[in-house]
Amino acid sequence: MTGSEVSPSFRLVYVPGVMPDKWVRVWNERLPDVPLTLTQVPATTAQGLLLGGDADAGLVRLPVDRTVLSAIPLYTEQTVVVVPRDHLVTAVDTVSLEDLADDIVLHPLDDVLAWESLPGRPALERPATTADAIELVAAGIGVLVVPLSLARLHHRKDLTHRPLVAAPESSVALAWPEAATTERVEDFIGIVRGRTVNSTRGRTRQPAQEKRERSGARKQQPAGGSAGRSRRGATGGTAKTPRRGKPRRRS
C-alpha cells in the first residue's frame, strides 16, 4: 500500500507492558469511521508482523532494524528488580547491581534488556517467558530484572519491586515499515506526538487540498491594496500633505 492510499481500517500491534489506551481513545474520537484493530504480541515477534504486512504500525521495544522500519522513540522505562516481599533489598529505596551479587538473577528467553553481563548468579535454566520467571521469583528461586511496566503487568501481592540503578533500560517506540508510510500511519503519528486535530504537519497534502488553498489565496485581497492606491498619485508616489500654519498677511 502506498502513502496515497487510504486503508478502511488501522491495525496496531503492541508489546506486553505498553499501554496504548490513551492513543486509541484519541483515535476513536478523531476517526470514528476508521476501525482500529489492537493486538498484543510478544516483543520478539512484533517486527516480523510489521514487515510481513500483518500490521500497519506497532508500539515496540527498541532496537528495531532501521534499514526497513521507521521508528519514533516515545519514552524510556525505569528498570526494577522484582523480589519477594521479605527480601533484604526491600529495606532500601534503590538497589545497585552489587546488591544482587548473592542472588540468582533469572534471565527469561523473552528478556527485553540488553545485558553485557548479567548481575548475580545464573540459574541452571533460563525461563521461557517473563511470566514463568515471575512464578519462580514467587517460589523463592531467584529475582528478576525487568522494565517497570512489566513488573506492574505481572504484579502479585507476594512480590514487590525496587528501582535498579546502573542497569540497562528499555525504550518504547512507534514503528512501521518504511515503505508503507500510509495516511493512516501519519494520523497515528500525529496522535502520539500530541498534535491537534487541525494540524497538517507531517501529513501528505492531497492535490484537491492544494488546489483549494491556491484558489483561496488568489481570491484574497492583499492588505492595504485598494486603500494604498487611493493615497498614491498616478506615478505611484505618495500624495502631498497640505502645509499647515498661520496664513500670511497681504501687504
Side-chain angles (χ1 to χ4, degrees):
M1 184 181 295
T2 63
S4 60
E5 295 176 347
V6 179
S7 171
S9 63
F10 186 69
R11 300 164 300 168
L12 180 72
V13 295
Y14 68 102
V15 298
V18 175
M19 302 297 289
D21 298 7
K22 61 179 180 180
W23 297 314
V24 173
R25 183 170 58 254
V26 176
W27 176 279
N28 291 333
E29 292 172 354
R30 294 186 182 181
L31 300 163
D33 298 328
V34 182
L36 189 153
T37 303
L38 195 62
T39 307
Q40 180 175 290
V41 300
T44 54
T45 64
Q47 180 168 305
L49 292 173
L50 292 172
L51 295 177
D54 297 310
D56 299 300
L59 296 169
V60 304
R61 293 190 181 276
L62 296 175
V64 295
D65 187 350
R66 293 298 188 98
T67 63
V68 289
L69 291 177
S70 296
I72 300 173
L74 301 177
Y75 58 88
T76 298
E77 289 197 67
Q78 183 182 58
T79 301
V80 301
V81 56
V82 180
V83 298
R85 285 195 173 273
D86 59 355
H87 195 282
L88 290 175
V89 300
T90 59
V92 297
D93 294 330
T94 58
V95 181
S96 68
L97 297 177
E98 292 74 17
D99 293 332
L100 304 179
D102 296 329
D103 286 287
I104 293 176
V105 178
L106 302 166
H107 191 202
L109 295 175
D110 63 355
D111 183 27
V112 297
L113 299 174
W115 291 99
E116 292 184 3
S117 179
L118 200 68
R121 297 184 293 134
L124 294 178
E125 294 182 2
R126 294 184 64 181
T129 66
T130 298
D132 293 334
I134 289 289
E135 295 294 329
L136 295 175
V137 175
I141 294 175
V143 301
L144 176 65
V145 179
V146 290
L148 178 58
S149 66
L150 290 181
R152 290 173 172 168
L153 178 66
H154 298 286
H155 172 72
R156 291 174 51 125
K157 291 183 179 180
D158 54 348
L159 301 180
T160 188
H161 56 78
R162 291 291 185 272
L164 183 63
V165 298
E169 296 176 322
S170 176
S171 295
V172 173
L174 173 65
W176 66 94
E178 187 173 319
T181 307
T182 66
E183 184 174 337
R184 295 305 178 215
V185 171
E186 293 286 4
D187 286 330
F188 199 76
I189 291 172
I191 289 173
V192 299
R193 284 186 163 173
R195 295 176 189 160
T196 64
V197 66
N198 295 322
S199 174
T200 58
R201 184 177 59 178
R203 289 286 302 273
T204 302
R205 294 190 303 173
Q206 300 301 317
Q209 179 182 354
E210 295 179 348
K211 183 177 180 180
R212 287 195 301 270
E213 291 178 356
R214 289 196 298 267
S215 176
R218 287 196 297 267
K219 292 179 181 180
Q220 290 180 353
Q221 178 68 35
S226 59
R229 286 193 297 271
S230 65
R231 292 193 299 266
R232 298 176 183 270
T235 60
T238 304
K240 294 183 179 180
T241 303
R243 295 178 63 182
R244 296 180 180 180
K246 296 181 179 180
R248 296 181 178 180
R249 295 180 180 179
R250 294 181 180 180
S251 56

